[in-house]
Amino acid sequence: MRPRALLLLLLLLLLLGALRSGGSPARNVLLLLADDGGFEIGAYNNSAIRTPNLDALARRGLVFQNAFTSVSSCSPSRASILTGLPQHQNGMYGLHQDVHHFNSFDGVRSLPLLLSQAGVRTGIIGKKHVGPGAVYPFDFAYTEENSSVLQVGRNITRIKALVRRFLQSQDERPFFLYVAFHDPHRCGHSQPQYGPFCERFGNGESGMGWIPDWKPQIYRPERVQVPAFVPDTPAARADLAAQYTTIGRMDQGIGLVLQELRRAGFLNSTLVIYTSDNGIPFPGGRTNLYRSGTAEPLLLSSPEHPRRWGQLSPAFASLLDLTPTILDWFSIPYPAYSIFGSRQVQLTGKSLLPALESEQPWATAFSSQSHHEVTMYYPMRAVQHGPFRLIHNLNYKMPFPIDQDLYVSPTFQDLLNRSRAGRPTHWHRSLRRYYYRERWELFDCSRDPGEGQNLAPDPRYGHTLQQLRAMLLKWQWDTGDPWVCAPDAVLEQRLSPQCQPLHNEL
């Protein structure tokens, strides 16, 4: 081919590429999700742990100080992230695997489904933990459904190779890649040979295997930072030290993933999001709707908004906001559809993209929980508005249930033993207070960050209590919550009023 003809062909190809992408590089999304991760990150002022890759991501993005999961349980949270709907609306009431067997409703239109229909290529690497498959389809998938979750969720060398394979595809569509680490989830219940947090998995010791890209970081228990809601005991400190090691593995994995993104030439066209699914697996953390169980790290790194890089945002964000945010990034309209009957589902979350332009006044976040394990039925609904958090414990006369994973942990076993022996627990509440809760719990988190003083019975906070109850009730009606009338009335949608009293003395 003559040089002039070759030049014309190249110009034509460039023109066609520009027309296909609207004159600019295609936008992409990388969602990085920790499993039971918390604020053990340098970017959130934890100076005891080394997380250089997350800290670098924070310097290249916006750091949210008030981000919350909508449910403090693994499968329900992941389903809420991938649908924009709370667990009581999407049907994922509890854990997905094994005997628990919860699934989202067949009519739910998830984020990967919506993206695929709009011409976006989708991929998932790591822990999926949601179903059914038809509701959560991915074009590229390496999860516990077809691989060892330890390999695709903790082996950062394997994760790196899979990310490279996804990014090297000749598919020219924009992409959504979801890397769901299994770290730092506890390991003591499922694979105790690797340690309480799988901190020995792949460390090169005899029988542990070897992860070539991982340089294990060992922490001394006396040097860790103990969160205010965790007992400050030698057992808990050793537990946290093991957790730090697995967070370090995830942090190094995140560095590898971002390196692959850079090598493939996508770093400057990709919105990178980092967060976690629920609170850390310690007493007061995961499975609770206290702030200690729902507050999450959230980093939003946009190559198009460098003015917000390294800034802290006090604006309230919810993981229910991630689906609207990602749809907005791709300029895809929000879905309006029906799961049951004729009533259309509307996303109640918001796009976080305006926060990348300027500070936002958002100050409210809702949460909803029904189960964790199938035996752990303890429905709760909560709202945090400004400094005040209101929790409605529907089955408050029952003891709060403890999951198997937490029960066998060194921290909880030590707490049990200390409580039985009448020894100091070095905890901010007793086991009895933890098990047995009031129907309404109201906390001023600005003055009482440990959420130890219930203000609901205090008449001085009567107006605040009624205001938050009204906000919570409206959200329940807006999201079609089947529990909206519980526990002292039954929902009868064809009657008026729809909440019919049970006269059950509650």
Side-chain angles (χ1 to χ4, degrees), residues 8-46:
L8 288 173
L9 178 61
L10 289 174
L11 288 173
L12 179 62
L13 290 174
L14 288 172
L15 178 61
L16 288 173
L19 289 172
R20 183 167 58 239
S21 61
S24 60
R27 282 179 157 191
N28 310 295
V29 172
L30 171 63
L31 173 58
L32 304 165
L33 187 70
D35 197 355
D36 294 358
F39 295 93
E40 299 80 17
I41 309 170
Y44 281 96
N45 299 319
N46 187 319

